[in-house]
Amino acid sequence: MSIIRSTPAITRQDVDRIVNDFIRTELDSYRALHNATASVESLRGVIEWEDAARPQLRRRIAKDIERGEPFWTREHLESFLESRGMPIHRDSPAYREMMRALALAWLSTLDAMDNGAPAADPLPDQPAMLQTPTEAPAIKLDKATQHRSVEASQPWRSQEQRFFADRPSIGDSARVSHRQAFKELEALIAAKPLGEVSTSDIKAFADYLRDKPIERAGRKRLSRETIVKLLSHVRSYFGWAVESGFIAENPAEKVKPRTETREERDQIPRRALAPSELDTLFRSPLFVGCRGLNLRHQPGLKVFRDGRFYFFLAGLLTGARTEELADAPSTLVDFHGILCLDLREAATKTSAGPRLVPVLPALRKTGFVDFARGEERAGRKLFREVTRDWSGWTNAYLDNIGITDRAVTGYSLRHNFRQMLRASGITQELMDKVFGHEGQSVGSGYGRDLSPAEARLVIERVVPPIELSHLYINEPG
């Protein structure tokens, strides 16, 4: 179809009339067909499929509105306009307003089909002159204005029963917990319309939970675990609203709870990653292909063998603490022909002993030595400050790839390394030297440094607990 010609000026009333005429000829026929076939037994499966697909259709329309893209039935509308001698240029604000009005009207029609009520008028009756592109700039709308579902204008808790109806897996006790979270949020933002709840509102909610005074079991503040749970309930509710096409974005999506206090962190028993978890980690997007430098947890085609790539590998294959790795020098020590990670200075800042840790063949085969030498040539530490908080980053990455057990953190890889040492069959004294623990035997007090023979024994005996060959590159072992 050729581009529709321009027209001098169209009022908001014209837009309303055109859209409503189109709905009567196009959308009403769709509703009529739906109602006519709903009672036909042989078509019941088709109707059920259509009903199930309606939320997906809502989301598609909502995304069109959010992105400002042409509504996907525009060719039908253009044919309708031409048949009535009403040419409108595609680049005019009037045309864009009509596309947006049509999308909103369709959303309203779908809602009406679900609720058994007539569709609402697509636009409020407020006259406005919409000029051609040569006479007025395009209309710029924020996301809240772009997305005008009926539900978005209602109080944010008005859809609570529909939420629970769509989530039958939420049991009675969990419903009580959800409603408690909603009640706490309502105390802050009252009955704000669903479409106007913002990320700053949810951040204020997280801050409120962080600072809320309590008197319970000797605690003065809510535990992080409780804060995480309440925030997750709110995030789930608004996520459901996005899925249902009521709002365009989840305002709670990026809001995080406060970090753990030292006392909370110490109370959680850490454990090693299970073999299946290790396999999940080292076959995750960071290692086999991600979307980009700042999207490491999302699958893609890019692999960056940088500090973030090697941080997890070094944690598993050297047993170094997160703080030790973050402070380790990039210069590897050649110890009688065996390259070692130098933790003699970094370890003095932790409770571990100063030590050299031999670079295991498995780590070397991933290209670690070349990486370290590149950082050394650039005059940087081994793991430069790509992030100010390596511990927070590693834990967040584990969460993002589905390893969510709070007993598993980046530090857990140190437990895995301890298991590797035990499985190798080396002596307890040598294990303590490599691991950085004070030994309990009498002999351990003499000569805490590795001998060349001990360093050789470590690289010959200690092997990773899972297969890592998919990460190897052509570097001599």
Side-chain angles (χ1 to χ4, degrees):
M1 175 183 286
S2 60
I3 298 296
I4 296 179
R5 301 181 301 279
S6 62
T7 191
I10 296 179
T11 66
R12 174 60 61 87
Q13 288 89 339
D14 290 331
V15 171
D16 290 347
R17 179 171 52 79
I18 292 168
V19 169
N20 285 322
D21 285 348
F22 181 79
I23 289 173
R24 277 196 295 272
T25 59
E26 199 75 23
L27 301 185
D28 281 356
S29 63
Y30 171 73
R31 294 188 65 186
L33 178 62
H34 174 88
N35 294 334
T37 55
S39 59
V40 180
E41 184 65 29
S42 62
L43 296 179
R44 185 175 299 279
V46 176
I47 298 302
E48 290 176 354
W49 175 86
E50 181 188 81
D51 290 341
R54 203 171 294 133
Q56 183 176 0
L57 180 59
R58 278 197 191 89
R59 288 194 292 274
R60 180 179 177 185
I61 297 171
K63 285 184 179 179
D64 283 345
I65 298 171
E66 178 186 357
R67 297 171 181 170
E69 295 177 353
F71 188 48
W72 50 277
T73 61
R74 71 176 181 181
E75 290 188 0
H76 290 207
L77 178 62
E78 290 172 358
S79 298
F80 176 82
L81 293 170
E82 285 196 337
S83 69
R84 284 158 176 74
M86 301 184 65
I88 301 177
H89 198 284
R90 279 186 183 175
D91 293 332
S92 71
Y95 183 84
R96 288 191 291 273
E97 181 70 5
M98 206 168 298
M99 287 292 104
R100 188 178 67 86
L102 177 59
L104 292 167
W106 197 307
L107 279 177
S108 179
T109 298
L110 292 173
D111 290 337
M113 290 176 67
D114 280 342
N115 300 327
D121 290 338
L123 288 174
D125 186 16
Q126 42 181 320
M129 190 66 72
L130 301 174
Q131 305 293 339
T132 57
T134 57
E135 296 171 320
I139 299 172
K140 182 71 173 177
L141 299 169
D142 60 29
K143 290 180 179 178
T145 305
Q146 289 173 351
H147 198 105
R148 288 190 199 165
S149 71
V150 174
E151 291 81 2
S153 63
Q154 297 173 346
W156 68 271
R157 288 192 72 176
S158 62
Q159 306 304 315
E160 189 173 320
Q161 292 307 316
R162 294 174 69 178
F163 166 70
F164 287 125
D166 278 353
R167 297 289 189 273
S169 61
I170 300 177
D172 292 341
S173 61
R175 287 194 181 204
V176 172
S177 180
H178 276 74
R179 289 194 172 104
Q180 178 61 31
F182 299 162
K183 180 181 177 181
E184 298 279 10
L185 177 58
E186 191 174 39
L188 287 180
I189 66 174
K192 196 169 189 177
L194 179 64
E196 294 179 17
V197 179
S198 65
T199 297
S200 61
D201 290 328
I202 307 302
K203 180 61 173 70
F205 176 56
D207 292 345
Y208 162 75
L209 295 176
R210 178 196 65 201
D211 301 331
K212 180 182 179 181
I214 63 169
E215 288 291 342
R216 188 183 308 154
R219 293 200 308 269
K220 301 295 185 182
R221 294 286 186 270
L222 291 174
S223 68
R224 184 178 186 274
E225 184 177 2
T226 298
I227 296 173
V228 168
K229 180 176 67 174
L230 296 176
L231 272 177
S232 70
H233 293 339
V234 170
R235 187 179 299 113
S236 176
Y237 179 75
F238 286 101
W240 167 83
V242 172
E243 292 172 5
S244 301
F246 302 155
I247 56 176
E249 288 185 344
N250 184 345
E253 182 65 33
K254 297 181 180 179
V255 177
K256 304 295 183 184
R258 66 166 174 79
T259 59
E260 294 171 336
T261 63
R262 182 175 295 276
E263 292 75 17
E264 289 172 330
R265 190 164 57 244
D266 291 342
Q267 288 172 1
I268 301 173
R270 305 302 184 191
R271 66 169 176 84
L273 279 78
S276 60
E277 292 170 324
L278 286 173
D279 195 62
T280 295
L281 171 58
F282 291 107
R283 292 187 182 275
S284 67
L286 173 63
F287 297 97
V288 300
C290 62
R291 282 188 60 190
L293 281 170
N294 296 318
L295 298 169
R296 302 295 183 104
H297 63 286
Q298 296 184 13
L301 301 176
K302 300 176 181 178
V303 176
F304 304 95
R305 290 185 180 250
D306 58 4
R308 295 178 192 257
F309 180 93
Y310 286 108
F311 201 88
F312 279 116
L313 282 167
L316 174 66
L317 299 176
T318 69
R321 288 176 166 84
T322 302
E323 312 94 281
E324 292 176 320
L325 289 174
D327 204 45
S330 54
T331 302
L332 300 178
V333 175
D334 187 337
F335 183 64
H336 299 276
I338 297 173
L339 291 178
C340 295
L341 181 65
D342 189 354
L343 298 180
R344 290 174 295 187
E345 291 296 327
T348 62
K349 301 179 182 180
T350 73
S351 58
R355 63 200 184 281
L356 295 177
V357 181
V359 176
L360 299 180
L363 181 56
R364 183 162 185 161
K365 289 176 183 177
T366 65
F368 176 78
V369 172
D370 282 346
F371 161 72
R373 287 173 176 165
E375 297 301 290
E376 181 183 15
R377 286 192 297 271
R380 296 188 288 253
K381 291 181 179 180
L382 182 60
F383 296 105
R384 54 187 161 133
E385 292 185 358
V386 178
T387 172
R388 294 181 179 180
D389 180 11
W390 277 106
S391 180
W393 181 84
T394 54
N395 295 341
Y397 184 81
L398 291 172
D399 285 342
N400 285 332
I401 63 172
I403 302 176
T404 57
D405 186 341
R406 294 184 65 214
V408 174
T409 66
Y411 185 88
S412 295
L413 293 171
R414 180 166 165 83
H415 293 285
N416 286 103
F417 185 70
R418 184 71 172 180
Q419 292 175 345
M420 291 163 54
L421 294 176
R422 290 197 197 99
S424 70
I426 61 177
T427 66
Q428 182 67 46
E429 181 180 338
L430 180 52
M431 285 172 55
D432 291 336
K433 286 183 179 181
V434 176
F435 199 65
H437 273 183
E438 289 285 356
Q440 300 299 315
S441 67
V442 175
S444 65
Y446 300 92
R448 291 181 54 191
D449 294 336
L450 282 175
S451 70
E454 287 174 327
R456 176 67 58 186
L457 193 61
V458 169
I459 66 170
E460 290 175 352
R461 295 270 192 91
V462 182
V463 296
I466 62 167
E467 180 62 55
L468 294 174
S469 59
H470 63 288
L471 303 179
Y472 293 169
I473 59 177
N474 295 325
E475 181 180 344

